[in-house]
Amino acid sequence: DVFGKSYERAVLFLAAHDLTMSDPDKASKPQVTSEKVGDVSVSYSSVNAVNNSDNYYMQTQYGLQFLGLRNACVVGATVL
């Protein structure tokens, strides 16, 4: 078990993340970092993911909590 004693917390974070993602209005939106009106231009903030699958979890506060827990529990291992 990768999460050890934190397994239940990990499951709860994943469940909360999935429930939040099922309501697109509650999933986090990218933050606008700059705007331009003439010839329309908008820039959004981005978060660097460890891998592409992390992007999915980075969309809610619960997913971010899950990633933090996962990263604390999986030290030196590769997560696919």
Side-chain angles (χ1 to χ4, degrees):
D1 181 346
V2 172
F3 292 97
K5 292 180 180 180
S6 299
Y7 178 78
E8 288 183 17
R9 286 185 67 206
V11 170
L12 291 173
F13 285 137
L14 282 177
H17 171 75
D18 286 340
L19 286 170
T20 302
M21 289 299 290
S22 69
D23 183 354
D25 291 333
K26 293 187 179 178
S28 63
K29 310 286 188 271
Q31 185 177 24
V32 175
T33 57
S34 69
E35 296 177 345
K36 182 180 176 183
V37 176
D39 292 328
V40 185
S41 176
V42 178
S43 298
Y44 298 97
S45 64
S46 65
V47 179
N48 293 329
V50 173
N51 59 54
N52 287 334
S53 66
D54 287 354
N55 289 331
Y56 173 71
Y57 299 111
M58 292 179 155
Q59 297 180 55
T60 70
Q61 64 182 354
Y62 306 110
L64 289 169
Q65 290 288 335
F66 169 77
L67 288 175
L69 187 59
R70 183 204 67 191
N71 293 341
C73 292
V74 183
V75 179
T78 301
V79 178
L80 301 174

